[in-house]
Amino acid sequence: MITTITIFIPLIGAILMLLLPEQERPLRYAALAVAAVPLLLTLYIYFAYGSGLGVPSLTQDFDWIPSLNMGYRVGLDGLGFGMFFLTALLTLIAVVASYDVRENLKQYFAILFIAEVGMLGVFASEDLILFYIFFEITLIPMYLLVGIWGDQNRRQAAIKFFVYTFLGSTVMLAGFLAFGILAGTYAMDSLTAGGGLGRTAQIAIAAPILFGLLIKVPAVPLHGWLLDVYVSSPISTNVVLSGILPKLGTYGLIKVAIPLLPEGVEPFLPYLAAFGVINIVYGAFVAFLQPDLKALVAYSSIGTLGFILLGAASGNAVGLNGAVLQQVTHGLYSALLFVLVGVIAARTGTRRIRELGGLAARMPWAGGLLALGAMAAMGLPGLAVFVSEFMSIMGGYEAFPVQGVLAALGIVLSAMYLLYMLARVVFGPIERPAYEAIEDAGPMEMAAAVPLAVLLVLFGVFPALLVSVQRPGVEAVLSAIGGG
């Protein structure tokens, strides 16, 4: 019952937001209270049940449409818990970081909470059709968050996001429907190891599912929607867009496609690993060319997502554990960087890298946290991304040596553009006299950034805090695919 309550608390919050008067301070306090509840419930689950999440736990299962074998089936396991926690955390961070949203505030919070329902639901679904429904619930809210509260290019960005993701999810649904019809059920626990289907049928079903999920990641070259959406969105929306939305695709690969269709996915695994390497290398090269700090962070995000694809394709314990952990660590560092980009742009009036400089002297807190986020993104030892990337590379190298080596070289490329950015923006000369008088990050901005920085350090020093929870779920995937 607690899983369902956690999923739908934000829906109650959305209704509450719409009923409240349009007064900024009460709205923000109410939104903070609503967003805090799922996070507190998730922390309770971790401390009370974390070690027992090897198989789906805290489940609810009842028939929804019995004639079609569809049911409301939810539960939490080690594969989904990390992202369940991250969704609750980053939604709260997005509320804190919503200082850049001034108009139609209660509608903004209501739509954000509806999106949270969909995201939490995806990471707890144990039924293919329910997975798809929650997957789609996120589409319209994110379209509205970008299209209404974005910058001058928001409509074009929102339409591009809608077209790409709706196409991907529709193709994915076709695969789900075919799978359920042929196997006789949509319940994931009954579909393990192909649901009794032969290799040819599994390949035919796996292809559209993989296509839909890779658009959501997005894997290059299916990434055409990402840059416009990231650059045009408010910073608070960026926190959710970068930290959670891509993981709907990667989580679908690890939770649905790979264990439920092992023979169908197997022929695609080398290509999945190749997509991962392309993301890593392409993201690094294009990030180096970006004049806009926000665009640089967006392409950095694309590159780091490639390690999840590589680890997921590996089919071994090290790589899969790395991929599952990377989903969380990527969300932490990308959200941190987007928050800090927002702070810097608000203080200086620009996001152009060549126009920025000297933040270490004038904005020591913002500059220092930006440096920490960048070092996490480049995989510095002692920070959480290093652990997950190292595991993904080692697992990927064991299965695909060439891809593993190229992924490791990709870390060098990311270090080059991130160090250049830091040298220019944080430690470079002050570019404008007006920057002499700018203020550092304020209390609300620090409240959004500091928890993310602390968790990057905490999970870097104590990765077992998450790995111990996710390991049983990874072992279940390995058992389904016959890996080790």
Side-chain angles (χ1 to χ4, degrees):
M1 191 68 173
I2 190 173
T3 305
T4 294
I5 292 172
T6 306
I7 292 170
F8 288 103
I9 281 289
L11 180 59
I12 298 172
I15 297 171
L16 174 64
M17 289 297 107
L18 296 176
L19 295 176
L20 290 174
E22 190 70 65
Q23 297 177 9
E24 181 175 348
R25 189 178 294 273
L27 277 172
R28 291 192 184 277
Y29 286 146
L32 285 171
V34 170
V37 175
L39 179 59
L40 292 173
L41 290 172
T42 305
L43 290 173
Y44 167 76
I45 292 170
Y46 175 83
F47 289 110
Y49 303 98
S51 61
L53 296 177
V55 296
S57 305
L58 306 173
T59 58
Q60 275 196 288
D61 185 343
F62 60 83
D63 289 337
W64 179 23
I65 308 176
S67 60
L68 298 177
N69 293 308
M70 297 180 189
Y72 175 82
R73 304 179 179 98
V74 296
L76 286 175
D77 63 7
L79 297 178
F81 177 80
M83 285 308 305
F84 200 79
F85 161 74
L86 189 69
T87 299
L89 172 67
L90 293 191
T91 303
L92 178 59
I93 296 295
V95 172
V96 176
S98 63
Y99 39 76
D100 60 339
V101 177
R102 295 295 180 184
E103 298 180 355
N104 302 314
L105 191 61
K106 68 178 185 179
Q107 289 87 348
Y108 180 85
F109 287 140
I111 293 170
L112 177 65
F113 289 142
I114 292 172
E116 184 182 13
V117 172
M119 294 181 290
L120 289 171
V122 165
F123 300 124
S125 292
E126 293 294 329
D127 181 276
L128 290 181
I129 299 303
L130 190 64
F131 179 96
Y132 169 76
I133 290 171
F134 281 126
F135 196 94
E136 284 295 271
I137 284 174
T138 65
L139 178 58
I140 297 299
M142 297 313 300
Y143 170 81
L144 294 174
L145 291 176
V146 176
I148 297 176
W149 287 276
D151 66 12
Q152 65 272 17
N153 297 317
R154 60 186 181 274
R155 290 185 176 85
Q156 177 184 347
I159 291 171
K160 188 176 290 188
F161 169 78
F162 184 88
V163 170
Y164 268 86
T165 53
F166 182 73
L167 170 64
S169 59
T170 301
V171 173
M172 182 184 73
L173 175 62
F176 283 175
L177 291 173
F179 196 10
I181 290 169
L182 293 176
T185 182
Y186 295 97
M188 293 185 191
D189 61 357
S190 301
L191 292 172
T192 303
L197 303 181
R199 178 181 174 84
T200 302
Q202 287 192 43
I203 292 174
I205 293 169
I209 293 175
L210 290 173
F211 177 78
L213 293 172
L214 289 173
I215 285 181
K216 197 72 171 183
V217 171
V220 178
L222 305 174
H223 67 296
W225 61 270
L226 183 139
L227 182 62
D228 287 347
V229 172
Y230 278 26
V231 172
S232 297
S233 299
I235 292 300
S236 49
T237 304
N238 280 134
V239 169
V240 175
L241 272 169
S242 65
I244 306 171
L245 261 291
K247 316 312 168 26
L248 303 186
T250 58
Y251 176 74
L253 290 171
I254 298 169
K255 173 70 175 183
V256 178
I258 292 173
L260 302 190
L261 293 161
E263 294 185 60
V265 172
E266 183 182 10
F268 298 105
L269 291 180
Y271 303 102
L272 192 63
F275 275 129
V277 172
I278 292 170
N279 265 51
I280 295 166
V281 176
Y282 175 85
F285 273 116
V286 180
F288 213 120
L289 302 175
Q290 297 306 309
D292 185 297
L293 187 57
K294 201 175 187 184
L296 181 146
V297 174
Y299 277 107
S300 171
S301 178
I302 288 180
T304 314
L305 288 166
F307 292 100
I308 304 176
L309 298 178
L310 177 63
S314 69
N316 56 60
V318 175
L320 276 171
N321 271 298
V324 176
L325 183 60
Q326 179 80 351
Q327 293 182 120
V328 178
T329 61
H330 171 275
L332 293 172
Y333 101 76
S334 63
L336 175 61
L337 288 181
F338 275 116
V339 167
L340 294 168
V341 168
V343 174
I344 292 167
R347 295 294 190 276
T348 64
T350 184
R351 297 196 308 252
R352 296 189 66 82
I353 294 172
R354 290 187 177 274
E355 296 177 1
L356 294 167
L359 295 186
R362 300 303 168 190
M363 301 177 67
W365 280 105
L369 289 171
L370 181 69
L372 187 145
M375 289 187 289
M378 68 180 75
L380 188 76
L383 299 174
V385 182
F386 166 77
V387 180
S388 53
E389 286 187 357
F390 181 79
M391 295 171 72
S392 297
I393 291 171
M394 293 304 295
Y397 178 79
E398 182 179 330
F400 308 104
V402 173
Q403 288 92 323
V405 171
L406 291 174
L409 293 175
I411 294 180
V412 178
L413 295 175
S414 67
M416 291 172 62
Y417 72 80
L418 287 165
L419 288 173
Y420 165 77
M421 181 272 290
L422 289 177
R424 184 81 192 186
V425 173
V426 178
F427 302 108
I430 296 176
E431 293 295 329
R432 295 181 181 179
Y435 293 172
E436 295 279 358
I438 60 176
E439 296 181 356
D440 204 349
M444 289 299 291
E445 295 159 330
M446 292 294 289
V450 169
L452 300 171
V454 169
L455 288 175
L456 283 169
V457 175
L458 181 66
F459 293 143
V461 178
F462 302 107
L465 291 172
L466 287 177
V467 175
S468 61
V469 176
Q470 71 184 41
R471 185 181 292 116
V474 169
E475 290 173 353
V477 174
L478 293 173
S479 176
I481 65 177

